[in-house]
């Protein structure tokens, strides 16, 4: 008799890049506990499949160094403020995940030992092996970088199979779909095409790091229920960027 074998997830270890905007709900600012709860539920779904989940979290809902510098704050100081913002987001997400019974550890590239472990790659991997979700905060720990670059860096470092970039649109378009109703969505695109066409998937530092190390990127809409699960199961969701 044939047994009905459940389909296995496509990936064993993923890195999910969440922008700060995702933590702010509809308006994208501040902390929106309901939005964070929904994010946590989606993360819980894939963890239940046995997938190891690493999250790199942004801070744009609270502060961005570049915006600060336009208002007179020294760029590097503003960038450190932005990195600190990511730690606030990480704590909020950890709280939401643990409320749903998902053990979570926060690591930070900046030392804040009362609230987060220091970033230690091997320790992070151990957490994953024990079934814990790991949130990387503090970006790369350096000004003039972005959390997208931190995501590209960490994805490679911890051996993720894919970098999942969560956005509010369902993939990469040839122009802004919110402004142009004729905008065309790509199912798949190469790193070079995305770079040459300046499609602004991620900043160029993040992007080249993925390109040089052949780290596939999937850009998808995390705000559709169960979408993260669909991506992890290998369904065609969003846009795949590869070599
Ligand atoms: N940042 C930084 N170095 C890093 C990561 C982040 O200086 O390695 C600062 C930078 O000022 C950035 C802010 O932290 O604007 C928040 O991060 P990001 O803009 O990447 O967040 P997101 O757009 O994902 O919400």
């Amino acid at each position: 008799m044939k047994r009905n074998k459940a389909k296995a997830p496509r990936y064993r270890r993923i890195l999910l890049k969440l922008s700060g905007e995702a933590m702010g709900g509809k308006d994208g600012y501040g902390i929106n506990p309901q939005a964070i709860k929904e994010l946590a539920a989606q993360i819980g779904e894939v963890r239940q499949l046995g997938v190891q989940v690493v999250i790199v979290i942004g801070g744009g809902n609270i502060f961005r160094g570049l915006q600060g510098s336009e208002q007179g704050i020294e760029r590097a100081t503003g960038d450190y403020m932005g990195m600190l913002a990511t730690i606030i987001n990480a704590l909020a997400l950890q709280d939401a995940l643990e409320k749903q019974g998902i053990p979570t550890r926060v690591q930070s590239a900046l030392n804040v030992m009362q609230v987060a472990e220091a970033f230690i790659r091997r320790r992070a991997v151990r957490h994953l092996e024990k079934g814990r979700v790991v949130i990387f905060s503090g970006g790369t720990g350096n000004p003039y970088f972005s959390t997208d670059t931190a995501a590209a860096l960490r994805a490679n470092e911890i051996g993720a199979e894919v970098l999942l970039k969560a956005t509010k649109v369902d993939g990469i378009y040839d122009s802004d779909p919110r402004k142009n109703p004729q905008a065309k969505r790509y199912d798949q695109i190469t790193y070079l095409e995305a770079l040459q066409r300046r499609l602004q998937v991620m900043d160029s530092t993040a992007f080249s790091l993925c390109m040089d190390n052949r780290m596939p990127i999937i850009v998808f809409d995390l705000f559709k229920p169960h979408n993260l699960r669909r991506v992890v199961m290998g369904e065609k969701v969003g846009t795949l960027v590869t070599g």
Side-chain angles (χ1 to χ4, degrees):
M1 201 174 79
K2 252 193 187 171
R3 277 231 214 125
N4 220 354
K5 216 172 140 205
K7 204 173 161 234
R10 170 89 183 265
Y11 305 104
R12 194 182 46 86
R13 182 176 291 172
I14 60 167
L15 187 141
L16 175 65
K17 165 67 210 305
L18 288 179
S19 67
E21 220 185 353
M23 309 290 288
K26 271 204 185 82
D27 22 288
Y29 296 107
I31 301 278
N32 179 326
Q34 184 54 36
I36 301 173
K37 194 173 160 190
E38 285 162 21
L39 289 177
Q42 289 226 39
I43 295 162
E45 273 184 10
V46 295
R47 192 182 152 269
Q48 273 195 337
L49 297 170
V51 177
Q52 298 180 356
V53 184
V54 181
I55 298 161
V56 167
I57 193 136
N61 55 322
I62 301 173
F63 199 81
R64 282 205 173 93
L66 200 57
Q67 279 165 9
S69 74
E70 280 158 12
Q71 290 157 16
I73 296 176
E74 190 197 5
R75 174 67 195 269
T77 301
D79 278 341
Y80 280 110
M81 291 165 69
M83 287 184 259
L84 289 170
T86 69
I87 302 172
I88 296 179
N89 283 335
L91 296 183
L93 183 59
Q94 180 184 37
D95 180 76
L97 286 164
E98 294 209 317
K99 285 215 170 85
Q100 296 187 27
I102 304 164
T104 306
R105 295 290 183 271
V106 177
Q107 293 200 344
S108 171
L110 295 177
N111 282 332
V112 279
M113 59 189 183
Q114 278 78 10
V115 292
E117 293 175 6
F119 168 67
I120 299 172
R121 186 177 71 90
R122 296 177 75 106
R123 195 164 181 185
V125 169
R126 190 81 191 105
H127 287 321
L128 293 174
E129 287 166 356
K130 287 188 173 170
R132 297 169 185 147
V133 167
V134 179
I135 307 175
F136 289 138
S137 63
T140 63
N142 304 288
Y144 296 94
F145 285 93
S146 68
T147 53
D148 278 354
T149 300
L153 177 67
R154 300 297 187 227
N156 284 298
E157 265 188 283
I158 56 111
E161 291 151 297
V162 65
L163 193 167
L164 304 179
K165 160 107 175 150
T167 59
K168 284 185 171 169
V169 283
D170 59 349
I172 305 174
Y173 285 77
D174 57 359
S175 58
D176 189 345
R178 284 171 296 191
K179 290 177 192 152
N180 175 12
Q182 311 295 329
K184 202 178 115 261
R185 188 175 70 85
Y186 299 101
D187 284 339
Q188 194 168 336
I189 190 169
T190 65
Y191 299 111
L192 266 183
E193 270 177 304
L195 266 177
Q196 280 162 355
R197 294 190 194 172
R198 298 181 188 278
L199 293 175
Q200 297 183 354
V201 192
M202 291 179 155
D203 58 84
S204 55
T205 315
F207 211 68
S208 351
L209 206 51
C210 288
M211 183 166 74
D212 292 349
N213 296 286
R214 296 194 184 82
M215 173 62 63
I217 307 168
I218 298 176
V219 180
F220 76 107
D221 181 0
L222 182 61
F223 299 89
K224 267 196 200 131
H226 314 296
N227 241 11
L228 180 59
R229 186 178 196 283
R230 293 177 60 210
V231 173
V232 165
M233 291 307 294
E235 286 183 41
K236 280 202 162 47
V237 176
T239 301
L240 170 69
V241 192
T242 53

